[in-house]
Amino acid sequence: AHLFDAWVAARDRLARLTVLGEDEKSPQRYRARLEKARADKDAAERALADRSWEFRNERSRDAAGLPEVRAALPPGSSLVAFVKYPRISRAKAGAAEAASAPPVDAYAAFVLRQGARAPDVVPLGAAKAIDAAVASMRDSMVRTSATLGGPGGTPVTSYRRLAVTLGDLAWRPLERHLAGTKTAFVVPDGSLQLVSFAALPCEADAWLLEKGPVFHYLSAERDLVPSNDVKGAGLLVAGSPDFDSLPLAVDQSAAPRLRGPEPTAPAALVHRGPPPSCRSFASLRFPALPASLGEVEEIAGLWRDASASGNGKGPRASKAGPPLLLSGAAASERAVKENAPGRSVVHLTTHGFFLGECMARASSSGEKTAGDLASAVYAENPLLLSGLAFAGANRRAEAPAGGDDGILTAEEVAALDLTGVSWAVLSACESGLGEARAGEGLFGLRRAFQVAGARTLITSLWPVEDEASRRWMKALYEGRLARGLDTARAVREASLAVLRERRAAGLSDHPFFWAGFLASGDWR
């Protein structure tokens, strides 16, 4: 226990130093502190790993294989596991030339239908083309997000054209292997980890969300096998943080409470995570989220209704009692850390960030600065690249020594014990992003919550709009708590509800508004 505590404390110190950024008055002192924090964290991790080897070795013997995965596929479902791999060139000039040619990255998919003994292997071609199509589609999504909101479909036309290219490369070749499939469990790899397949176009003006199977994402094939992990109880819902409050050195004894109504939302779209400045994350300020308070109130109300009605179909709602709501200054990093363990559902509504693009720009510039060590720390540990903002985040430089700074990084999340959490819902911008590593998954908030023990993550792939997110989340919990849908279908029905609502109102049906969130992990 003391080794674990030392490891958690060391991770917190490193995360806080990295988030605060360089001390312009004394860069040498900052560098020394950062080097010491990294060394302390590494030492604590090694000590804990040495003691944990026997436990990890025992767990590895119980790892599920193909027979267990095959048996866990529900009726009418298929498993689609993508893989990015180095393909050896088959040069026509001869074996010698082929042996000397460098391998070229390619994608393939393993498709295992329920009841089949072995998967079909479907080559998808060079990774360069697929990765380029993913990048173009995502760039279009981010670039046009600020212009959406009214009637008309010009951005949709541009998006559909790019999305058709990706669909032809990565999805159409699989369709004949998926005939009759009602639910597709997808294990993505490489850049495909950043794609919502439900947002790919299909016949006429429809989307795969409407005409294709129900999509659910897995971090690994073994996620299909039922887990016997400890189950938590109750709901923690935190939102509408007061980003301008002073970070707390110690937890306040006053009970967490909701503050008064938020100001009316402006006409322009509000996103839950403005793109951080690549020049200085330390200077980034987080604006208020007008729809955030309404979202947490609606979710808490749905939870109370399910508890009062005795509806046992939801995630333990009938036995949970009243939800715990954190808002305003009470929606602090410390409060989330202390109250999330032991819950069944953890719902966090705030700003999210991912600094991967900023680090890529810094490394490609070739310039040496006093912040190079911080960049090296990011590169070494990508869990420091993403996080969530809570109360006091705009005054994080004023946080007292030993106190929380209002920024909850993925590195800090990974040190929590969330083994009882059935759902972790991150209602924030780009909360599902991370550093994509072929064969290893995404290193970001999604990975961190899984490491911490949460069984299902609901996260976003792009800058989600505040009001659209509130509507989507309300539909999600209505499906889960009131209708008793499993996770995969609750996510699909929420997307369909927002899509149909926008069409009925004559608004754009761009996937930006309804496909940003996806679920990964346990589908039940």
Side-chain angles (χ1 to χ4, degrees):
H2 73 277
L3 289 175
F4 181 82
D5 292 341
W7 173 64
V8 170
R11 294 180 77 152
D12 287 351
R13 286 195 299 272
L14 177 61
R16 184 179 176 210
L17 274 173
T18 315
V19 166
L20 286 177
E22 178 185 337
D23 184 350
E24 296 181 358
K25 297 181 180 179
S26 180
Q28 292 81 10
R29 180 170 176 268
Y30 172 76
R31 185 182 186 92
R33 293 175 64 196
L34 194 62
E35 285 180 335
K36 184 178 186 305
R38 181 168 60 171
D40 290 347
K41 181 253 184 185
D42 289 344
E45 197 164 76
R46 281 195 299 271
L48 186 61
D50 287 342
R51 291 291 297 274
S52 302
W53 180 88
E54 184 176 353
F55 172 74
R56 290 186 290 111
N57 188 52
E58 190 68 25
R59 283 287 296 268
S60 68
R61 297 174 186 168
D62 298 329
L66 178 59
E68 291 79 12
V69 170
R70 187 170 53 222
L73 277 171
S77 69
S78 295
L79 175 66
V80 180
F82 291 95
V83 59
K84 185 176 183 180
Y85 68 100
R87 183 175 60 185
I88 304 300
S89 174
R90 302 280 186 186
K92 295 182 179 180
E97 290 80 358
S100 62
V104 177
D105 283 346
Y107 280 98
F110 293 85
V111 181
L112 178 65
R113 298 180 62 178
Q114 192 268 333
R117 293 191 57 81
D120 296 330
V121 182
V122 185
L124 298 175
K128 182 178 181 180
I130 292 177
D131 291 343
V134 172
S136 296
M137 194 175 74
R138 287 187 53 79
D139 286 347
S140 172
M141 183 71 72
V142 175
R143 198 169 52 246
T144 61
S145 64
T147 67
L148 299 173
T154 301
V156 175
T157 303
S158 174
Y159 171 84
R160 286 184 71 94
R161 184 172 62 253
L162 295 170
V164 163
T165 300
L166 178 62
D168 289 343
L169 292 170
W171 186 254
R172 304 290 175 237
L174 309 180
E175 289 184 330
R176 70 182 184 90
H177 301 273
L178 295 169
T181 295
K182 297 180 180 179
T183 303
F185 296 103
V186 178
V187 184
D189 197 9
S191 65
L192 294 176
Q193 296 173 102
L194 308 176
V195 172
S196 172
F197 286 92
L200 293 178
C202 58
E203 59 191 55
D205 293 329
W207 307 95
L208 277 182
L209 172 74
E210 305 166 276
K211 303 295 184 179
V214 176
F215 290 97
H216 184 78
Y217 298 82
L218 310 174
S219 59
E221 293 82 350
R222 295 186 183 96
D223 288 349
L224 277 173
V225 180
S227 172
N228 295 320
D229 291 343
V230 176
K231 295 182 178 180
L235 165 72
L236 169 65
V237 55
S240 190
D242 184 356
F243 301 114
D244 294 319
S245 64
L246 184 65
L248 302 176
V250 295
D251 193 28
Q252 291 182 334
S253 58
R257 62 188 184 280
L258 287 171
R259 61 179 178 180
E262 292 282 349
T264 303
L269 298 183
V270 178
H271 295 86
R272 296 186 176 180
S277 167
C278 286
R279 295 181 61 186
S280 175
F281 175 74
S283 65
L284 175 66
R285 291 184 60 81
F286 299 93
L289 294 170
S292 176
L293 184 60
E295 179 177 315
V296 298
E297 289 178 325
E298 286 174 341
I299 292 170
L302 289 168
W303 188 272
R304 292 191 191 96
D305 291 344
S307 299
S309 66
N311 178 8
K313 296 180 181 179
R316 299 177 63 84
S318 62
K319 300 179 181 180
L324 174 61
L325 285 76
L326 303 173
S327 186
S332 66
E333 177 190 0
R334 173 73 61 85
V336 170
K337 286 180 177 179
E338 292 184 348
N339 290 287
R343 302 285 169 179
S344 174
V345 174
V346 174
H347 185 103
L348 307 176
T349 303
T350 183
H351 284 293
F353 63 87
F354 174 63
L355 303 177
E357 184 179 350
C358 295
M359 292 299 106
R361 291 180 188 176
S363 62
S364 63
S365 68
E367 297 180 3
K368 297 296 182 181
T369 68
D372 282 343
L373 179 60
S375 296
V377 172
Y378 280 128
E380 178 183 287
N381 185 359
L383 293 185
L384 291 167
L385 291 170
S386 54
L388 300 168
F390 290 99
N394 287 342
R395 301 177 66 180
R396 52 194 177 275
E398 303 174 48
D404 290 314
D405 54 15
I407 300 294
L408 181 62
T409 66
E411 171 76 4
E412 293 171 292
V413 170
L416 300 177
D417 180 6
L418 302 181
T419 51
V421 175
S422 299
W423 269 19
V425 185
L426 310 185
S427 184
C429 276
E430 301 181 329
S431 56
L433 296 191
E435 182 178 314
R437 297 182 176 181
E440 296 187 53
L442 282 174
F443 286 79
L445 283 168
R446 196 191 306 181
R447 167 64 65 89
F449 274 88
Q450 289 171 335
V451 169
R455 290 193 292 280
T456 301
L457 273 294
I458 297 175
T459 56
S460 65
L461 288 177
W462 50 73
V464 293
E465 191 268 323
D466 195 29
E467 180 60 26
S469 298
R470 183 191 69 80
R471 293 177 180 273
W472 192 93
M473 288 296 170
K474 180 182 179 182
L476 174 73
Y477 280 90
E478 285 175 340
R480 180 66 160 171
L481 298 177
R483 299 166 59 190
L485 299 178
D486 60 49
T487 298
R489 279 158 183 77
V491 168
R492 179 178 185 269
E493 290 300 314
S495 296
L496 280 173
V498 174
L499 173 60
R500 291 165 179 165
E501 180 183 274
R502 294 189 62 80
R503 282 178 175 166
L507 299 175
S508 168
D509 68 347
H510 198 296
F512 167 78
F513 290 102
W514 51 263
F517 290 101
L518 54 80
S520 60
D522 192 341
W523 63 276
R524 297 164 184 83

